[in-house]
Amino acid sequence: MNHQHIFKQGNPERPLLLLLHGTGGTEHDLFFLGEAIDPEASLLGVRGNVTESGMNRYFRRLTEGVFDENDLDYRTKELIAFLDDASAEYGFDRNNIVAIGYSNGANIAGSMIYSFKDAVKGAILHHPMVPFRNRQLPDLHSLPVFIGAGTNDPLCAPGESTELKATLEGAGSDVSIYWGNAGHSLTNEEVVAAKAWYNKHF
Ligand code: MLT
């Protein structure tokens, strides 16, 4: 399979949580988060296939905050293909995946949602940005999305979070947004809010 990854088998009745790290992370990073959100779920931690100055990422960027859209498209398809292969290999339900991403990982999760109908069944996006602009989204009816945003996030300006919410809602998605004030960091309060959202939807 085309991504370094770790799979941990859980209760097959629960969603598979796809764990997508931030820039410079690894497939191990978000296991603590997956276990906090749903202790019974199967977990799949995936390492980004791109490196930038030795740091793992899921796609290239031209400069900070400016994505290489061609590479983002390519890497999004690559990750979707990986999920198809991994579900066959490990026997989890391809139609029951909830993505949990932080920062760069949230951005590739957002790109999957923008690009493919039924890419995932739900998503928790911690500190995401708008992956693409001027793009026709698929029908996202009934897709629940949680956005963890920061009123003072220096990487993802508040307007970026509200634009993402509005665009997803325009395609039919059911979006909840949590506002913190701890910059780009992922706080315990944000994880508690994500867990409450997850328990309501899954
Ligand atoms: C990105 O490049 O995906 C965003 O700027 C967030 C990050 O720094 O990883």
Side-chain angles (χ1 to χ4, degrees):
M1 283 184 277
N2 58 4
H3 274 278
Q4 193 145 329
H5 64 278
I6 303 175
F7 173 72
K8 185 179 156 219
Q9 177 73 57
N11 180 347
E13 303 299 316
R14 305 297 302 149
L16 176 286
L17 302 184
L18 169 66
L19 308 174
L20 302 166
H21 61 75
T23 296
T26 74
E27 64 277 23
H28 299 271
D29 284 16
L30 297 192
F31 269 76
F32 83 94
L33 196 50
E35 281 159 8
I37 297 290
D38 186 346
E40 277 193 59
S42 297
L43 305 176
L44 182 62
V46 179
R47 181 185 295 197
N49 274 344
V50 164
T51 51
E52 178 191 273
S53 308
M55 296 184 296
N56 298 315
R57 289 176 52 85
Y58 292 96
F59 57 89
R60 297 187 199 290
R61 57 182 164 184
L62 304 175
T63 178
E64 188 163 299
V66 183
F67 301 161
D68 177 337
E69 293 195 357
N70 289 333
D71 191 60
L72 179 51
D73 263 329
Y74 175 80
R75 300 293 170 187
T76 301
K77 288 188 191 123
E78 190 180 51
L79 184 55
I80 292 277
F82 167 78
L83 292 177
D84 295 343
D85 292 348
S87 77
E89 170 85 15
Y90 297 117
F92 63 79
D93 181 356
R94 173 65 187 86
N95 298 315
N96 199 13
I97 297 177
V98 175
I100 304 181
Y102 169 67
S103 192
N104 184 242
N107 292 338
I108 190 112
S111 174
M112 288 200 294
I113 293 168
Y114 265 53
S115 309
F116 296 98
K117 184 170 159 52
D118 301 326
V120 289
K121 200 174 172 192
I124 296 177
L125 307 177
H126 294 291
H127 300 265
M129 296 171 68
V130 175
F132 298 100
R133 291 198 162 82
N134 305 317
R135 184 170 277 221
Q136 178 74 40
L137 272 65
D139 177 5
L140 299 179
H141 242 88
S142 80
L143 181 82
V145 174
F146 172 93
I147 296 176
T151 54
N152 57 350
D153 186 331
L155 289 174
C156 313
E160 189 93 21
S161 309
T162 47
E163 182 185 339
L164 180 62
K165 180 175 189 286
T167 308
L168 291 170
E169 284 175 343
S173 176
D174 171 8
V175 185
S176 302
I177 193 158
Y178 166 89
W179 289 100
N181 58 5
H184 196 58
S185 33
L186 176 54
T187 63
N188 193 46
E189 289 75 15
E190 187 172 319
V191 176
V192 168
K195 185 176 168 70
W197 171 90
Y198 177 90
N199 287 341
K200 192 169 126 204
H201 291 278
F202 297 102

